[in-house]
Amino acid sequence: MANRARFVLDVLAAMVAEAGGDRVGIKISPEMNFNDIVDAHPQETYAYLVEQLRGLDLAYLHVALFGAKTDYHALLRPLFNGAYLMGSGLDQKSAETALADGRADATVFGGAFLANPDLPERFRQGAPLNIPDKNTFYSPGAQGYTDYPFLNGTGAA
Ligand SMILES: Cc1cc2nc3c(=O)[nH]c(=O)nc-3n(C[C@H](O)[C@H](O)[C@H](O)COP(=O)(O)O)c2cc1C
């Protein structure tokens, strides 16, 4: 277990030594199987890793879940001593519920922020959201990155 976690812990320690823990965070995605990533004991692995983060005084831990059956937020949040960020697949309602229930200190938006440069304002107003165009994910150029319209109809500055 210690060997499995060593690389990421060494990298974090080096970053903290250079920049300070308040400027370093980590995102983990337990059980995400992209590129055939497989872990026979993901709960034990991630619990161990998060416990080891304690001494680093990181700015945050972000846990993103993509179809995991285990409630990793319930498992990992109590093990971490800093700001706990929940994010992946959230919408305004589920994010606000997570915050109100104390399940997270902050919530993270990826696709929705990409497509809505004024996402906080849209949430404030209850305004409709632009839908992210997956065809322009990972594509070069400005299209799909800086050309989603603001609420007032203008493009990005
Ligand atoms: C275009 C795009 C590329 C992404 N690339 C990565 C990546 O390389 N590594 C990673 O851990 N997460 C990646 N993410 C996930 C985000 O970091 C974030 O965890 C996720 O988008 C949050 O979920 P949401 O989009 O449902 O709000 C990407 C997301 C988007 C929209």
Side-chain angles (χ1 to χ4, degrees):
M1 193 69 79
N3 281 339
R4 290 180 71 94
R6 192 175 60 210
F7 178 73
V8 67
L9 292 172
D10 282 357
V11 170
L12 285 170
M15 293 170 73
V16 167
E18 185 66 25
D22 58 332
R23 300 188 70 194
V24 178
I26 180 172
K27 174 197 175 186
I28 57 175
S29 308
E31 293 189 34
M32 191 184 74
N33 57 10
F34 187 61
N35 281 344
D36 298 331
I37 300 171
V38 178
D39 183 342
H41 307 286
Q43 297 176 24
E44 291 83 353
T45 301
Y46 284 96
Y48 175 84
L49 176 66
V50 170
E51 279 172 349
Q52 299 306 307
L53 299 177
R54 276 198 205 127
L56 292 168
D57 284 331
L58 298 181
Y60 66 84
L61 166 66
H62 170 197
V63 179
L65 300 179
F66 301 91
K69 292 195 180 66
T70 300
D71 183 355
Y72 282 92
H73 299 306
L75 174 70
L76 299 177
R77 189 172 190 208
L79 303 178
F80 187 64
N81 60 346
Y84 186 91
L85 277 54
M86 175 190 290
S88 61
L90 295 174
D91 58 17
Q92 182 175 1
K93 190 161 180 275
S94 55
E96 287 177 347
T97 301
L99 294 172
D101 292 349
R103 298 185 70 219
D105 295 308
T107 50
V108 173
F109 292 89
F113 232 128
L114 183 67
N116 295 274
D118 49 2
L119 186 64
E121 185 56 30
R122 286 176 190 256
F123 282 167
R124 260 189 292 275
Q125 294 185 21
L129 302 183
N130 301 319
I131 307 298
D133 176 7
K134 291 189 175 156
N135 294 319
T136 57
F137 285 4
Y138 308 104
S139 62
Q143 196 195 349
Y145 285 95
T146 59
D147 59 350
Y148 286 101
F150 284 73
L151 271 177
N152 65 9
T154 62

CSV table of all heavy atoms in Angstrom, one decimal, residues 109-119 122 128-134 136-137 144-151:
chain,number,residue,atom,x,y,z
A,109,PHE,N,-17.3,22.4,-10.5
A,109,PHE,CA,-18.0,22.2,-11.8
A,109,PHE,C,-16.9,22.2,-12.9
A,109,PHE,O,-16.1,23.1,-13.0
A,109,PHE,CB,-19.0,23.3,-12.0
A,109,PHE,CG,-20.2,23.2,-11.1
A,109,PHE,CD1,-20.1,23.9,-9.9
A,109,PHE,CD2,-21.3,22.5,-11.4
A,109,PHE,CE1,-21.2,23.8,-9.0
A,109,PHE,CE2,-22.3,22.4,-10.5
A,109,PHE,CZ,-22.3,23.0,-9.3
A,110,GLY,N,-17.0,21.3,-13.8
A,110,GLY,CA,-16.1,21.2,-14.9
A,110,GLY,C,-16.8,21.6,-16.2
A,110,GLY,O,-16.6,22.7,-16.8
A,111,GLY,N,-17.5,20.7,-16.8
A,111,GLY,CA,-18.2,20.9,-18.1
A,111,GLY,C,-19.1,22.1,-18.1
A,111,GLY,O,-19.1,22.9,-19.0
A,112,ALA,N,-19.8,22.3,-17.0
A,112,ALA,CA,-20.8,23.4,-17.0
A,112,ALA,C,-20.0,24.7,-16.9
A,112,ALA,O,-20.5,25.7,-17.5
A,112,ALA,CB,-21.7,23.3,-15.7
A,113,PHE,N,-18.8,24.7,-16.3
A,113,PHE,CA,-18.1,26.0,-16.3
A,113,PHE,C,-17.4,26.3,-17.6
A,113,PHE,O,-17.3,27.4,-18.1
A,113,PHE,CB,-17.0,25.9,-15.2
A,113,PHE,CG,-17.0,27.1,-14.3
A,113,PHE,CD1,-17.0,26.9,-12.9
A,113,PHE,CD2,-17.0,28.4,-14.8
A,113,PHE,CE1,-17.1,28.0,-12.1
A,113,PHE,CE2,-17.1,29.5,-13.9
A,113,PHE,CZ,-17.1,29.3,-12.6
A,114,LEU,N,-17.0,25.2,-18.3
A,114,LEU,CA,-16.4,25.4,-19.6
A,114,LEU,C,-17.4,26.0,-20.6
A,114,LEU,O,-17.1,26.9,-21.3
A,114,LEU,CB,-16.0,24.0,-20.2
A,114,LEU,CG,-15.3,23.9,-21.5
A,114,LEU,CD1,-14.0,24.5,-21.4
A,114,LEU,CD2,-15.2,22.5,-22.0
A,115,ALA,N,-18.7,25.6,-20.5
A,115,ALA,CA,-19.7,26.1,-21.4
A,115,ALA,C,-20.4,27.3,-20.9
A,115,ALA,O,-21.1,28.0,-21.7
A,115,ALA,CB,-20.7,25.0,-21.6
A,116,ASN,N,-20.2,27.7,-19.7
A,116,ASN,CA,-20.8,28.9,-19.1
A,116,ASN,C,-19.8,29.7,-18.4
A,116,ASN,O,-19.6,29.5,-17.2
A,116,ASN,CB,-22.0,28.5,-18.2
A,116,ASN,CG,-23.1,27.7,-18.9
A,116,ASN,OD1,-24.0,28.3,-19.4
A,116,ASN,ND2,-22.9,26.4,-18.9
A,117,PRO,N,-19.2,30.7,-19.1
A,117,PRO,CA,-18.2,31.5,-18.5
A,117,PRO,C,-18.8,32.3,-17.3
A,117,PRO,O,-18.0,32.8,-16.4
A,117,PRO,CB,-17.7,32.4,-19.6
A,117,PRO,CG,-18.8,32.4,-20.6
A,117,PRO,CD,-19.5,31.0,-20.5
A,118,ASP,N,-20.1,32.5,-17.2
A,118,ASP,CA,-20.7,33.2,-16.1
A,118,ASP,C,-21.6,32.3,-15.3
A,118,ASP,O,-22.6,32.7,-14.8
A,118,ASP,CB,-21.6,34.4,-16.7
A,118,ASP,CG,-22.5,33.9,-17.8
A,118,ASP,OD1,-22.5,32.7,-18.1
A,118,ASP,OD2,-23.2,34.8,-18.3
A,119,LEU,N,-21.0,31.1,-15.1
A,119,LEU,CA,-21.8,30.1,-14.3
A,119,LEU,C,-22.4,30.5,-13.0
A,119,LEU,O,-23.6,30.4,-12.7
A,119,LEU,CB,-21.0,28.8,-14.2
A,119,LEU,CG,-21.7,27.6,-13.6
A,119,LEU,CD1,-22.9,27.1,-14.5
A,119,LEU,CD2,-20.8,26.5,-13.3
A,122,ARG,N,-25.3,32.7,-13.5
A,122,ARG,CA,-26.5,31.9,-14.0
A,122,ARG,C,-27.1,31.2,-12.9
A,122,ARG,O,-28.4,31.1,-12.8
A,122,ARG,CB,-26.0,30.9,-15.1
A,122,ARG,CG,-25.7,31.6,-16.4
A,122,ARG,CD,-25.2,30.6,-17.5
A,122,ARG,NE,-24.7,31.3,-18.6
A,122,ARG,CZ,-25.3,31.4,-19.8
A,122,ARG,NH1,-26.5,30.7,-20.0
A,122,ARG,NH2,-24.8,32.0,-20.8
A,128,PRO,N,-31.0,29.6,-17.7
A,128,PRO,CA,-30.6,28.3,-18.4
A,128,PRO,C,-29.1,28.3,-18.6
A,128,PRO,O,-28.5,29.3,-18.7
A,128,PRO,CB,-31.4,28.4,-19.7
A,128,PRO,CG,-31.9,29.8,-19.8
A,128,PRO,CD,-31.9,30.4,-18.4
A,129,LEU,N,-28.6,27.1,-18.8
A,129,LEU,CA,-27.2,26.9,-19.0
A,129,LEU,C,-26.9,26.5,-20.5
A,129,LEU,O,-27.7,25.8,-21.1
A,129,LEU,CB,-26.7,25.7,-18.1
A,129,LEU,CG,-26.8,25.9,-16.6
A,129,LEU,CD1,-26.2,24.7,-15.9
A,129,LEU,CD2,-26.3,27.2,-16.1
A,130,ASN,N,-25.8,27.0,-21.0
A,130,ASN,CA,-25.3,26.5,-22.3
A,130,ASN,C,-24.9,25.0,-22.0
A,130,ASN,O,-24.4,24.7,-21.0
A,130,ASN,CB,-24.1,27.2,-22.8
A,130,ASN,CG,-24.3,28.7,-23.0
A,130,ASN,OD1,-25.4,29.1,-23.5
A,130,ASN,ND2,-23.4,29.5,-22.5
A,131,ILE,N,-25.1,24.2,-23.1
A,131,ILE,CA,-24.7,22.8,-23.0
A,131,ILE,C,-23.3,22.6,-23.5
A,131,ILE,O,-23.0,23.0,-24.6
A,131,ILE,CB,-25.7,21.9,-23.8
A,131,ILE,CG1,-27.2,22.2,-23.4
A,131,ILE,CG2,-25.4,20.4,-23.6
A,131,ILE,CD1,-27.5,21.9,-21.9
A,132,PRO,N,-22.4,21.9,-22.8
A,132,PRO,CA,-21.1,21.7,-23.3
A,132,PRO,C,-21.1,20.8,-24.6
A,132,PRO,O,-21.9,19.9,-24.7
A,132,PRO,CB,-20.4,20.9,-22.2
A,132,PRO,CG,-21.2,21.0,-21.0
A,132,PRO,CD,-22.6,21.3,-21.4
A,133,ASP,N,-20.3,21.2,-25.6
A,133,ASP,CA,-20.2,20.4,-26.8
A,133,ASP,C,-19.1,19.5,-26.7
A,133,ASP,O,-17.9,19.9,-26.8
A,133,ASP,CB,-20.0,21.4,-28.0
A,133,ASP,CG,-19.9,20.7,-29.3
A,133,ASP,OD1,-20.0,19.5,-29.3
A,133,ASP,OD2,-19.6,21.4,-30.3
A,134,LYS,N,-19.4,18.2,-26.5
A,134,LYS,CA,-18.3,17.2,-26.4
A,134,LYS,C,-17.4,17.1,-27.6
A,134,LYS,O,-16.3,16.6,-27.5
A,134,LYS,CB,-18.9,15.9,-26.0
A,134,LYS,CG,-19.5,15.9,-24.6
A,134,LYS,CD,-19.9,14.5,-24.1
A,134,LYS,CE,-20.4,14.7,-22.7
A,134,LYS,NZ,-21.3,13.7,-22.2
A,136,THR,N,-16.0,19.3,-29.1
A,136,THR,CA,-14.8,20.2,-29.1
A,136,THR,C,-14.0,20.0,-27.8
A,136,THR,O,-13.0,20.8,-27.6
A,136,THR,CB,-15.3,21.7,-29.1
A,136,THR,OG1,-16.2,22.0,-28.1
A,136,THR,CG2,-16.0,22.0,-30.5
A,137,PHE,N,-14.3,19.0,-27.0
A,137,PHE,CA,-13.4,18.7,-25.9
A,137,PHE,C,-12.1,18.2,-26.5
A,137,PHE,O,-12.1,17.4,-27.4
A,137,PHE,CB,-14.0,17.6,-25.0
A,137,PHE,CG,-15.1,18.0,-24.1
A,137,PHE,CD1,-15.7,19.2,-24.2
A,137,PHE,CD2,-15.7,17.0,-23.3
A,137,PHE,CE1,-16.7,19.6,-23.3
A,137,PHE,CE2,-16.7,17.4,-22.4
A,137,PHE,CZ,-17.3,18.7,-22.5
A,144,GLY,N,-15.1,26.1,-28.7
A,144,GLY,CA,-15.4,25.2,-27.6
A,144,GLY,C,-14.7,25.5,-26.3
A,144,GLY,O,-14.9,24.8,-25.3
A,145,TYR,N,-13.8,26.5,-26.3
A,145,TYR,CA,-13.1,26.9,-25.1
A,145,TYR,C,-13.4,28.3,-24.7
A,145,TYR,O,-13.7,28.6,-23.5
A,145,TYR,CB,-11.6,26.7,-25.3
A,145,TYR,CG,-11.2,25.3,-25.3
A,145,TYR,CD1,-11.1,24.6,-26.4
A,145,TYR,CD2,-11.0,24.6,-24.0
A,145,TYR,CE1,-10.8,23.2,-26.4
A,145,TYR,CE2,-10.7,23.3,-24.0
A,145,TYR,CZ,-10.6,22.6,-25.2
A,145,TYR,OH,-10.3,21.2,-25.2
A,146,THR,N,-13.4,29.2,-25.6
A,146,THR,CA,-13.6,30.6,-25.2
A,146,THR,C,-14.8,31.3,-26.0
A,146,THR,O,-14.9,32.5,-25.9
A,146,THR,CB,-12.3,31.5,-25.5
A,146,THR,OG1,-12.0,31.4,-26.9
A,146,THR,CG2,-11.2,31.0,-24.6
A,147,ASP,N,-15.6,30.5,-26.7
A,147,ASP,CA,-16.6,31.1,-27.5
A,147,ASP,C,-18.1,30.8,-27.0
A,147,ASP,O,-19.0,31.1,-27.7
A,147,ASP,CB,-16.5,30.8,-28.9
A,147,ASP,CG,-16.5,29.2,-29.1
A,147,ASP,OD1,-16.5,28.5,-28.1
A,147,ASP,OD2,-16.6,28.8,-30.3
A,148,TYR,N,-18.2,30.3,-25.8
A,148,TYR,CA,-19.6,30.1,-25.3
A,148,TYR,C,-20.1,31.4,-24.9
A,148,TYR,O,-19.4,32.2,-24.2
A,148,TYR,CB,-19.6,29.1,-24.1
A,148,TYR,CG,-19.4,27.7,-24.5
A,148,TYR,CD1,-18.1,27.0,-24.3
A,148,TYR,CD2,-20.4,26.9,-25.0
A,148,TYR,CE1,-17.9,25.7,-24.7
A,148,TYR,CE2,-20.2,25.5,-25.3
A,148,TYR,CZ,-19.0,25.0,-25.2
A,148,TYR,OH,-18.8,23.7,-25.5
A,149,PRO,N,-21.4,31.7,-25.2
A,149,PRO,CA,-21.9,33.0,-24.9
A,149,PRO,C,-22.2,33.3,-23.4
A,149,PRO,O,-22.6,32.4,-22.7
A,149,PRO,CB,-23.2,33.1,-25.7
A,149,PRO,CG,-23.6,31.6,-25.9
A,149,PRO,CD,-22.3,30.8,-25.9
A,150,PHE,N,-22.0,34.5,-23.0
A,150,PHE,CA,-22.5,35.0,-21.7
A,150,PHE,C,-24.0,35.2,-21.7
A,150,PHE,O,-24.6,35.2,-22.8
A,150,PHE,CB,-21.8,36.3,-21.4
A,150,PHE,CG,-20.4,36.2,-21.0
A,150,PHE,CD1,-19.4,35.9,-21.9
A,150,PHE,CD2,-20.0,36.4,-19.6
A,150,PHE,CE1,-18.0,35.8,-21.5
A,150,PHE,CE2,-18.7,36.3,-19.3
A,150,PHE,CZ,-17.7,36.0,-20.2
A,151,LEU,N,-24.6,35.4,-20.6
A,151,LEU,CA,-26.0,35.6,-20.5
A,151,LEU,C,-26.5,36.8,-21.4
A,151,LEU,O,-27.5,36.8,-21.9
A,151,LEU,CB,-26.4,35.9,-19.0
A,151,LEU,CG,-26.7,34.7,-18.2
A,151,LEU,CD1,-27.0,35.2,-16.7
A,151,LEU,CD2,-27.9,33.9,-18.7
